[in-house]
Every structure is written in structure tokens, then in C-alpha cells.
Amino acid sequence: MNNILPAGTTLKSNSYRIQRLLGRGGFGVVYLADDLIMNQPCAIKESFDNSPGAQAQFEVEARILAHLSHPHLPRVTDNFIEPATGLQYLVMEYVEGKDLGELLDRTGPLPEGRVLAWMDQVLKAVAYLHNYKPRPVIHRDIKPDNIRLLPDGKTVKLVDFGISKIGGVSDPTRKAARGVAPGFSPPEQFGAGTDTYSDVYALGATLYNLLTNVIPPESIDIAHSGAKLVLPRHLNPRISPRVEQVILTAMQIDPKLRFPNAGEMHLALQGKRPTTVSAACPHCGAAVRATAKFCPDCGGTIPPVPFVFRPSGYQAKSIKDLVGGCDRYWDEGRDYFWRGEFEPWLASLGKQGQTLAAKARAIRARHTDKSAALEEFLEAADPTRSLPILTLDQTALDFGPLRKGDSKVLSFAISNSGRGYLHGTLDAKPPRWLSVRPAGFGCLSGAQQKIDVEVKTASLSGTELGVDYSGTVTVLSNRGQQAVHVRLKVVDEPQAQLDPLQVDLGRVAWGARLRGQVTVSNSGGGTLHGVLVASKPWIAVDQKSQPFALGKGQSLAIAFTVNAAGFARRGRYSSQLQVQAKGRGNPVAVVTVQVDVPFPLDPANPTSQVSTLKELRDFCDRDWQAGMTLLSNGRIGTFLRFIGKTEAARIADQCRQMPDKAIGLERLLRDGLGAKAPTRYDTNAMDVVSDLGLGPLPKFFGRPEVVTLQVLNKSKRGYLYGRVESLVDWLHIPQPRFGCLPGQVAEVKIHVDKKSRKIGLLSLGTELFEIVVE
């Protein structure tokens, strides 16, 4: 039954609906359909043959694809048998796009770069199949028509597993799976067992077809009927030699001469594996094996096939040519040698080449330096070849005088003034104080390498005049050895050390005196002569220890004093103690101190220590006389500056200049320190008025010529001061000012001029004087 299903036909109980035919072959057709369950398009393959063998092979294909998972292979989602017809169906991912066969028909030979990008994906997919466990999957139908190019123009997928099989040559092929693709199937697919190398032939033929637009002759005709495979570059000269070599190797009639699987072919296309060198007969153009001496078609003599250096294009036709090519294109030759690519070509040159190929394998096993391995190989391949030449730019390094404990680096250069690759190691003696970097070297022809030589004197003895030392750096190379002589003089001068280097005396009140201590020692040689010097005047070094003289290993404790009276403001201060000595180093110790309150207003009076403005006010109110003295001698102003009260200090400077020291102190306390002025006072003004014969109780007899006005300060604090002013012309006040502290009385003498006194009845309410408090 091979009727085409019309559009709209549903399958598997309305799970799938046919849209249109995608393609057909001898064993079945493929439809585009709708997956009505998943609501997405799919491809459905229908098998025409429902015989037991065909059904078994169809199940094999379904089982293979159902377990595969690769980005460049289609996914199988379902398989079923329609009960009404007995036909089998395989549901797969629908791969949009067009196959490469269609593209080739429209455009002709395709660019090598694009083809290699697509084949990179195909080879990865086939390598995945060939490595599939537990047994490899052989596709057996690789050709451009089965490579689908997706709409992005970059991604391809390998489709149609209709004649694939599981297992290698020892596994039987089902009858329903037998089939060939003309021009793309290897000869063993026509009868003998197939294996992974069978897909390799098809991959090579696919490359051939895509790059030339020519389908290769049937492999069975090449093998038995005289058909000839035209070399790809004869059909398309733009094909690179490397790609042609891969194609010819993949399409060898003898499976043993092909790549064993797709993975190895993939590596060869990337230049990571050697190809089996193939050539064309110069007489008839037939493809011949690498080891052929005569063409099997025409009998002509076959010259040796050259080894081609890629990408330089250099061709080696003999061992001597190969040696010259490696010297000329060192990096290329090194990589070919290390990957073993020379060996198949060498084996084709006869006994000498085969012997050299064996040596190459042994050389690689001994080396980790790839260039060193190639150099040994080239020397074995051509004993007459020019060799590397070891050249040093210096044979002596003089480090001069060095202080004990110092290290220094000087350099010399190793260069290869010959051919090939100079390499080796360096040996520094004595290793206790002499070393080199790097420990090994390698130089191509004309190149040089810098070698650093370091000396470390910590383990060496010295004197003030110096001790001479010598050593040797020996250059050991594949072209002999040379020596570089090293000289130096170790000078062990006195070296000053100071301990500790940080001295924190903590917090201290102004005016205090603190003592500290540092230790000076000589960690060098000879005698250390010097002094310890302070950088600030508030720190004084004990002169009994100055100057000092210390032999090697000796130390001396030196005391110092910090005078906290030397600070104008509170805060953190630091000074340096530096050793000034002849010899190595003048170490410095940093001394820090936090100067803070309390501040002693009177150093002789322990009770005069104050920390705040309130404490200063309280002290002055408590000991007024001392406060006036401290204001006058500037100590109060100093304290105010010390705690950062600049404006109050300025007021103190003004007040200390006032003639009346008590008033000056009171003004400071009020204006600068925020004290409240005294306002409560009492007087005997009524008695004075009565004594003058006035007021409600006047005295008419014994009127005095002088009366005394008393002012009592009843405030809790402060110096009450002011003046008394006469309001009548017959009272005279010689000293009108007064002042008194709390609880004290100030007296003001008022003189009476009796001659000018005129008192009438209207004078009873007259005010005689006024008390003004300031």
C-alpha cells in the first residue's frame, strides 16, 4: 500500500492531522502534520512495507531515535501502528528549512568556509552516534539530501535514519535496512558488513559533492570496474590541500586506510590529527595509496608524496626537506611532530623513514619541552644540519659591596647564534646565597633569554671593611656548557635599631611630667656611635645616656621625659625620637600623648584643677582672691585657650587689664563664662537720711559732718559693685565707688556741707543720693 494520505487525515485516534507531503522514497513517505495534543507541527514518517522484517527494522529506527539527544539530530516523540491499515508511523520533530542537496542544485559548488561550518555540526552529530553506548549507531545514509539547513542559514541537522543499524561489522544488518546511496555508500555497504568507517566514507563523499557539485563514482565501480575518482582540487582549485587530504583519506576504498570514525575525521579537519597521505598518479590522475611505488591503473612510477606544512604551504619531498621546513616554520613543525603527524609520511619513505618514525615516538616519550623534542628529532634526521650555538653576553657579574642582609639582582643573556633550538638548565653554586631565575631556558635561532642572578647576603659574614665572596652560574645546554663568575663584597656596618617604634603615653593632664623609655641597639657590625634626638621641645632625652657607643649586639635603654606644660591646647601630640648615628639606618620612634584636662590653674595649689567653665566659675567664686591673682598672671586665659574657648580667652585678656582686679574678674565671669550678675543687696540709706535730719524720723540734734552709707551684698555669688551719686549740692562723696562679695559690706563716706545746706519744709521729700549697681 503506497497511497498518499490526503490533507486533513487524522491518525492515532485524532492525535495527529496530516497537512501535506514532505517527501517520499522507496520504503515510505514523510508528511508535515499537526500534533493536536501538543499544538505544534511535526514530521510523520510512514512505512509502506508492513512485512515482519520491515516492521522490525522500523522499530529499530524508532528505538534508536527515541534514545538519542543531540542538537544536530531530530527528536523522536512517538511511534505507532494504525489498526485499520497495519502501517507503521514514526513521529519526529519537524526540521524546517531545505536540504543541502537542494541548495547545491541551485548554486553549484559551495564555499569551503560555509561547508566546513556545516560539516563541523554534522561530524559532531555522527561522532555522537559512533560513540553511543552500549553499541555504536551507524547511520548508513549520509548525503547532502539528508542534511537539513535551518532557516537561520547556519544550523544543520542530520535526518532520515531509515537504513541505520546498531552495532559494528560483527552485527547483522536486517534485510529491510539494506540499501545504498549511489555515490555516497562505501563498497562494503554493497555486501560486506558495515561499521563506523562506513559513515566516514559517506561523510567524505558528502564533502566532495558539496565542494565540487559532482557526485563521486560508485565506490563499487572504483574498486572493481576501473572507475576513477577525480581529485577534488582538479574540479575546484579553491579547495584547500588540507581539506582535499581529509576527503581522500575518508574515501579510501580500503576501510583500514580511512579514519576509524567521525570523531577522528573531525579532528583531522581541525588540523589536530594526521591524514593518510594520498596522491594522484602523475601519469593518469588516479588516486593512489601513500605507500604506492607504482600506479595500479597505468603502472607508472609514483614519486614520494610531499608533506605539506599548513598554512604556509611549504612542501617537504624528502627528509632533508622536512628538516629544512621545521627550521623555517618552527612552530608548525613542532606541533606536527608533537601530534605524530610526521610518522605516517615518514613510514611511506621506506626503511629509513620507518626507522626515523620510531625514533620520533621514542623522543616524544622522553620530553616535556616540545621544542627540545623537535630539536633532537631534527639532529637525528639530518646529522649534517647546522646546530644551535650557545652564546653569553657576559661571563662575569660583579655585584660590588653589599651590606649584610641585602639582596641584589643582576642579569645576563643567553642567545642562540646558530640554528634550531638551544635549551638547557642553570646551576648556581653555592646555593646558600646564589640563585637564578628561571631555572631553565630555550632559545630559537637568533633569540635570547634574560637570566636573573640574585645574591642574598643574610647568611654571609662581613666586616666594616668588607669580606669577598665568589660563586658560579653554570649554563648547561644541549650544545655544551659555559660559566658565569659571580663576585661580591659583604660589608657589615653598624646598624641602629630602635625598640619600640611606637610609644603611646596615653592620656595626661596639662602640666604633668611623664617618663618613657626606648632601647637603642646595634644589630650590625663594628661600633655604633650616635645620639638620640627629639623633634619637639616638649620631649627631653636623658642626657646621661648621650652620646652612646654600642658594639655588635649591644643595646642601651634611654629614658625621656614629656613635659605636658608645654602644650597650649589639649589634644593628641606626637614627636619623633631619631637615632643619629654613623652606619646603616637612622630609625625613628614615634611618641604620642593625649593632653587633656584637668588643668591646674595654680600648680602649687592642688585644689585649683579645673576641667570645665563651670568648675572655673565655682573656683573663682570660692576663692576670689586666688581668682584675681590667676586672672592677673594670665593663667585663666591660658586655661581657656587650652580647652579651645578662644572668645572667652580674649575677654580674659581684656579683663586682666582693668585697674580694679575684682571688677575685672567679675566681668570675665559674667561676659566670658556665663555667670549671673549679683542683684540682691541691702543698705542703711534710711539711717543715713535720718542722721542728716531728714526722712520720717529726722534727728534734729547732733547732725554729723560725715555719714557712712553701707551696702550689703545679699546675692549667692559674685562681686557686687557700683557707685553712689549725690543728688544735692550740699552732699559731697569723695570716693563714690563700692564693691563687695556675697555677705560682705561696702562703705561709702558722704560729707555734709553745712554752710550751703538749706532745708525748708518742702525739702522733706527731696532725694539726697542714688545707689547705682553696675
Side-chain angles (χ1 to χ4, degrees):
M1 181 184 297
N2 55 3
N3 294 328
I4 302 303
L5 297 177
T9 302
T10 59
L11 300 172
K12 197 181 179 181
S13 303
N14 295 322
S15 296
Y16 304 100
R17 181 175 56 232
I18 301 297
Q19 284 192 30
R20 59 182 173 85
L21 180 69
L22 288 177
R24 65 184 299 164
F27 297 100
V29 295
V30 179
Y31 297 99
L32 174 63
D34 292 318
D35 185 335
L36 301 177
I37 304 298
M38 302 302 296
N39 192 27
Q40 62 184 18
C42 62
I44 296 182
K45 183 175 182 180
E46 177 188 76
S47 174
F48 291 155
D49 190 350
N50 59 2
S51 66
Q55 289 184 355
Q57 175 58 27
F58 199 83
E59 290 173 1
V60 168
E61 181 182 7
R63 187 165 65 251
I64 292 172
L65 288 174
H67 289 87
L68 298 180
S69 177
H70 191 277
H72 300 296
L73 298 175
R75 289 180 292 105
V76 169
T77 58
D78 194 7
N79 68 290
F80 58 92
I81 298 176
E82 277 293 299
T85 62
L87 295 178
Q88 291 183 304
Y89 294 89
L90 188 68
V91 183
M92 299 173 290
E93 167 194 6
Y94 171 58
V95 181
E96 293 186 79
K98 54 196 170 189
D99 62 62
L100 296 187
E102 298 176 45
L103 183 64
L104 191 63
D105 290 341
R106 291 203 310 268
T107 64
L110 296 167
E112 183 177 290
R114 291 183 68 193
V115 170
L116 292 182
W118 296 332
M119 289 303 294
D120 180 78
Q121 301 171 52
V122 174
L123 283 163
K124 288 178 180 177
V126 180
Y128 168 78
L129 295 174
H130 289 178
N131 290 318
Y132 191 74
K133 304 298 181 183
R135 289 180 295 171
V137 176
I138 317 300
H139 188 281
R140 293 163 36 91
D141 198 17
I142 299 171
K143 56 187 178 182
D145 289 348
N146 284 342
I147 300 174
R148 196 80 170 159
L149 178 64
L150 273 59
D152 63 7
K154 298 178 181 178
T155 307
V156 295
K157 290 195 176 188
L158 178 63
V159 299
D160 199 346
F161 283 67
I163 58 173
S164 59
K165 79 166 193 172
I166 296 177
V169 68
S170 61
D171 294 288
T173 303
R174 294 182 181 274
K175 181 178 179 181
R178 298 185 187 277
V180 294
F184 297 95
S185 297
E188 66 269 17
Q189 197 164 329
F190 287 82
T194 52
D195 208 323
T196 53
Y197 48 69
S198 304
D199 282 344
V200 168
Y201 185 95
L203 287 164
T206 298
L207 259 177
Y208 186 103
N209 181 219
L210 292 174
L211 293 173
T212 65
N213 198 25
V214 173
I215 296 176
E218 286 278 20
S219 60
I220 198 73
D221 292 337
I222 297 175
H224 302 293
S225 303
K228 293 185 173 51
L229 177 70
V230 181
L231 295 179
R233 284 166 56 83
H234 288 182
L235 298 172
N236 181 1
R238 290 191 296 272
I239 299 174
S240 66
R242 173 171 60 87
V243 172
E244 182 182 63
Q245 290 294 313
V246 172
I247 293 172
L248 294 176
T249 301
M251 293 184 67
Q252 290 289 328
I253 297 300
D254 184 351
K256 296 178 182 178
L257 298 179
R258 299 177 206 154
F259 303 106
N261 52 54
E264 290 297 310
M265 181 177 174
H266 189 205
L267 292 172
L269 268 180
Q270 295 173 327
K272 298 178 181 178
R273 287 289 187 275
T275 60
T276 301
V277 182
S278 301
C281 173
H283 309 292
C284 67
V288 295
R289 295 174 58 183
T291 56
K293 302 298 183 182
F294 303 95
C295 176
D297 290 355
C298 69
T301 302
I302 305 299
V305 177
F307 184 92
V308 180
F309 282 64
R310 310 175 300 271
S312 61
Y314 175 84
Q315 295 187 1
K317 298 180 180 179
S318 66
I319 293 176
K320 196 172 187 66
D321 286 349
L322 182 70
V323 172
C326 290
D327 277 327
R328 184 175 178 183
Y329 305 103
W330 188 270
D331 290 344
E332 283 186 61
R334 178 196 60 210
D335 293 342
Y336 296 145
F337 173 76
W338 196 254
R339 294 195 298 260
E341 293 193 35
F342 290 158
E343 288 144 43
W345 179 79
L346 289 170
S348 72
L349 301 184
K351 186 175 181 179
Q352 180 187 6
Q354 293 166 5
T355 301
L356 190 57
K359 286 184 179 179
R361 290 189 288 271
I363 289 170
R364 277 203 308 275
R366 291 196 300 271
H367 284 275
T368 56
D369 185 333
K370 297 179 181 180
S371 287
L374 177 60
E375 176 62 30
E376 183 178 346
F377 168 76
L378 297 180
E379 292 179 17
D382 184 6
T384 65
R385 166 180 171 268
S386 297
L387 299 175
I389 298 175
L390 171 64
T391 304
L392 305 183
D393 69 338
Q394 298 183 68
T395 57
L397 295 176
D398 190 349
F399 285 80
L402 294 177
R403 291 184 173 124
K404 178 177 172 59
D406 287 353
S407 62
K408 186 176 180 180
V409 176
L410 294 178
S411 302
F412 69 93
I414 299 173
S415 59
N416 178 7
S417 56
R419 193 174 180 180
Y421 182 70
L422 177 75
H423 61 93
T425 59
L426 298 114
D427 182 31
K429 292 182 178 178
R432 179 166 60 99
W433 56 268
L434 185 62
S435 62
V436 294
R437 294 186 301 270
F441 64 91
C443 301
L444 291 173
S445 177
Q448 69 172 211
Q449 184 165 345
K450 177 184 173 185
I451 305 297
D452 290 333
V453 180
E454 182 177 23
V455 295
K456 295 181 178 179
T457 65
S459 63
L460 302 180
S461 300
T463 65
E464 288 191 71
L465 297 178
V467 176
D468 293 322
Y469 290 88
S470 62
T472 304
V473 175
T474 304
V475 181
L476 305 167
S477 79
N478 58 326
R479 294 302 300 150
Q481 66 181 51
Q482 294 188 41
V484 177
H485 300 287
V486 177
R487 296 188 297 271
L488 73 154
K489 184 189 293 288
V490 178
V491 179
D492 193 7
E493 298 175 291
Q495 180 169 4
Q497 286 192 330
L498 197 55
D499 184 58
L501 297 178
Q502 294 283 342
V503 181
D504 189 352
L505 296 176
R507 189 179 297 271
V508 61
W510 187 94
R513 297 178 72 86
L514 297 177
R515 288 182 65 81
Q517 179 179 290
V518 293
T519 299
V520 181
S521 59
N522 178 11
S523 61
T527 302
L528 181 70
H529 296 274
V531 294
L532 187 66
V533 179
S535 63
K536 298 291 177 64
W538 50 265
I539 185 169
V541 178
D542 186 356
Q543 293 302 308
K544 291 186 295 183
S545 304
Q546 305 274 50
F548 55 79
L550 301 174
K552 182 175 181 178
Q554 291 184 336
S555 60
L556 175 66
I558 300 179
F560 61 87
T561 304
V562 171
N563 180 10
F567 301 102
R569 291 180 181 273
R570 65 180 176 181
R572 189 168 184 83
Y573 292 85
S574 65
S575 176
Q576 292 182 344
L577 293 175
Q578 183 176 31
V579 174
Q580 294 182 352
K582 183 179 180 181
R584 280 185 285 170
N586 287 309
V588 173
V590 178
V591 179
T592 56
V593 62
Q594 179 72 34
V595 182
D596 210 340
V597 292
F599 183 93
L601 295 172
D602 183 359
N605 181 6
T607 65
S608 69
Q609 290 188 343
V610 294
S611 300
T612 63
L613 295 181
K614 181 180 183 305
E615 290 181 0
L616 176 59
R617 293 198 306 265
D618 293 344
F619 173 80
C620 292
D621 282 335
R622 186 171 62 250
D623 192 344
W624 195 262
Q625 186 61 44
M628 289 190 296
T629 301
L630 294 170
L631 175 64
S632 296
N633 63 21
R635 292 288 292 176
I636 290 180
T638 300
F639 167 70
L640 293 172
R641 289 186 180 86
F642 179 73
I643 64 173
K645 300 298 183 181
T646 306
E647 178 61 21
R650 184 186 64 79
I651 295 172
D653 289 341
Q654 293 176 348
C655 291
R656 67 181 291 203
Q657 304 301 324
M658 298 179 69
D660 190 324
K661 302 304 180 184
I663 294 177
L665 180 58
E666 178 63 25
R667 295 308 310 172
L668 169 64
L669 296 179
R670 294 185 199 176
D671 299 343
L673 307 184
K676 293 182 179 180
T679 55
R680 294 182 60 202
Y681 64 93
D682 200 359
T683 68
N684 64 344
M686 295 300 295
D687 294 338
V688 171
V689 171
S690 178
D691 289 343
L692 293 176
L694 297 173
L697 299 173
K699 294 181 179 179
F700 296 103
F701 301 100
R703 295 174 183 167
E705 294 182 355
V706 178
V707 293
T708 300
L709 177 65
Q710 295 180 334
V711 180
L712 172 63
N713 183 354
K714 299 181 67 176
S715 298
K716 292 183 179 180
R717 68 143 312 274
Y719 184 71
L720 182 74
Y721 66 92
R723 66 184 184 278
V724 179
E725 296 180 355
S726 173
L727 300 179
V728 294
D729 56 4
W730 50 275
L731 292 178
H732 175 59
I733 306 174
Q735 294 182 348
R737 300 201 65 81
F738 65 87
C740 56
L741 292 170
Q744 295 181 353
V745 175
E747 294 184 346
V748 178
K749 300 295 183 179
I750 301 175
H751 295 258
V752 180
D753 186 357
K754 294 182 178 182
K755 294 180 179 181
S756 61
R757 177 180 179 180
K758 295 179 181 180
I759 301 176
L761 293 176
L762 296 177
S763 66
L764 294 176
T766 301
E767 293 185 357
L768 302 178
F769 51 84
E770 181 182 10
I771 301 172
V772 179
V773 176
E774 297 177 355

